Amino acid sequence: GNSVTQMEGPVTLSEEAFLTINCTYTATGYPSLFWYVQYPGEGLQLLLKATKADDKGSNKGFEATYRKETTSFHLEKGSVQVSDSAVYFCALSDRGGGNKLTFGTGTQLKVEL
Amino acid sequence: DVKVTQSSRYLVKRTGEKVFLECVQDMDHENMFWYRQDPGLGLRLIYFSYDVKMKEKGDIPEGYSVSREKKERFSLILESASTNQTSMYLCASSSSGGSYEQYFGPGTRLTVT
């Protein structure tokens, strides 16, 4: 079946540091890939997505590239801010399974001054 | 703006009570989902629905049921609440076309005492 593996957190960074959160996946077929963000006390928000190999999703300074050869979709940001502190979830779509998403377990990011 | 709303942000119920969690979306989406979120376990799918009056079990349906009488509304029912159902409950919806990204509500934090 499908699965998503994310790096364990929490990840603690200083403001303006470079961020990478690793995500690898296992899937049959050609899934779409997503990063969601969850701020404290809120639901998940779609951060970015990529629908085919070599696509780059980007939003709010975050980027991720769909790498089919390494089955990865790592999230990056060049300079994090305190306001980026949240939990980040990697996910993939299962087109053969009724539009369900398979989520990773989430990575908590803490950004300090 | 897309909108998914949930009936309560916080709810406290007693063991054995019947609990209804309501979710409404205004995007005319075909698919709706109920998840629970627990620390260290990520998001787990309880039930989902492709269409009005249709429902499918997710990964952890035991102790829950759902109802979808109208396209915009998807209800999660705890027939007899138990303390191990204390959790954050998230509703989401998605379109059947496109890349299947899901849009989430703000969540309901349910405590069963």
Side-chain angles (χ1 to χ4, degrees), chain A residues 33 48 50 54-57 63-67 72-75:
Chain A
L33 300 174
L48 53 85
D54 300 325
D55 266 3
K56 178 186 281 188
E63 293 183 338
T65 301
Y66 189 162
R67 302 284 188 202
S72 65
F73 193 55
H74 304 322
L75 182 68

Side-chain angles (χ1 to χ4, degrees), chain A residues 32 34 36 38 41-46 49 51 87 89 93-95 97-101 103-106, chain B residues 9 31 33 35 37 40-43 45 48 50 88 90 94-96 99-107:
Chain A
S32 292
F34 308 90
Y36 282 83
Q38 185 179 33
E42 298 184 11
L44 276 69
Q45 301 174 26
L46 179 65
K49 68 179 182 182
T51 58
V87 181
F89 292 90
S93 67
D94 181 358
R95 293 173 186 171
N99 308 328
K100 291 187 291 183
L101 294 184
F103 287 89
T105 53
Chain B
R9 292 298 300 271
N31 309 308
F33 306 83
Y35 297 89
Q37 182 179 18
L41 298 177
L43 276 74
L45 182 64
F48 60 103
Y50 298 120
M88 169 72 93
L90 294 167
S94 72
S95 172
S96 288
S99 55
Y100 313 109
E101 64 259 36
Q102 293 182 10
Y103 296 88
F104 283 80

Side-chain angles (χ1 to χ4, degrees), chain B residues 20-80:
Chain B
F20 294 86
L21 303 182
E22 304 284 338
C23 175
V24 177
Q25 51 96 3
D26 67 358
M27 296 163 282
D28 201 36
H29 282 167
E30 295 83 6
N31 309 308
M32 296 188 75
F33 306 83
W34 275 108
Y35 297 89
R36 62 177 284 176
Q37 182 179 18
D38 300 288
L41 298 177
L43 276 74
R44 293 181 290 169
L45 182 64
I46 304 171
Y47 267 97
F48 60 103
S49 169
Y50 298 120
D51 200 352
V52 175
K53 298 193 185 294
M54 304 294 289
K55 61 184 179 183
E56 296 282 342
K57 292 180 180 179
D59 301 317
I60 52 162
E62 296 79 18
Y64 303 94
S65 62
V66 290
S67 172
R68 193 163 180 206
E69 297 296 318
K70 294 185 178 181
K71 190 175 185 180
E72 67 270 19
R73 187 179 298 269
F74 192 36
S75 303
L76 180 69
I77 303 156
L78 287 66
E79 295 289 343
S80 177

Side-chain angles (χ1 to χ4, degrees), chain A residues 21-110:
Chain A
I21 299 178
N22 290 337
C23 171
T24 57
Y25 67 90
T26 302
T28 54
Y30 302 95
S32 292
L33 300 174
F34 308 90
W35 276 102
Y36 282 83
V37 59
Q38 185 179 33
Y39 298 103
E42 298 184 11
L44 276 69
Q45 301 174 26
L46 179 65
L47 181 59
L48 53 85
K49 68 179 182 182
T51 58
K52 61 182 187 298
D54 300 325
D55 266 3
K56 178 186 281 188
S58 61
N59 186 25
K60 299 181 181 180
F62 292 89
E63 293 183 338
T65 301
Y66 189 162
R67 302 284 188 202
K68 190 170 183 296
E69 63 277 11
T70 54
T71 61
S72 65
F73 193 55
H74 304 322
L75 182 68
E76 296 181 336
K77 187 176 185 183
S79 176
V80 294
Q81 306 299 312
V82 171
S83 57
D84 293 327
S85 298
V87 181
Y88 293 81
F89 292 90
C90 185
L92 64 83
S93 67
D94 181 358
R95 293 173 186 171
N99 308 328
K100 291 187 291 183
L101 294 184
T102 300
F103 287 89
T105 53
T107 302
Q108 184 174 15
L109 171 65
K110 298 179 181 178

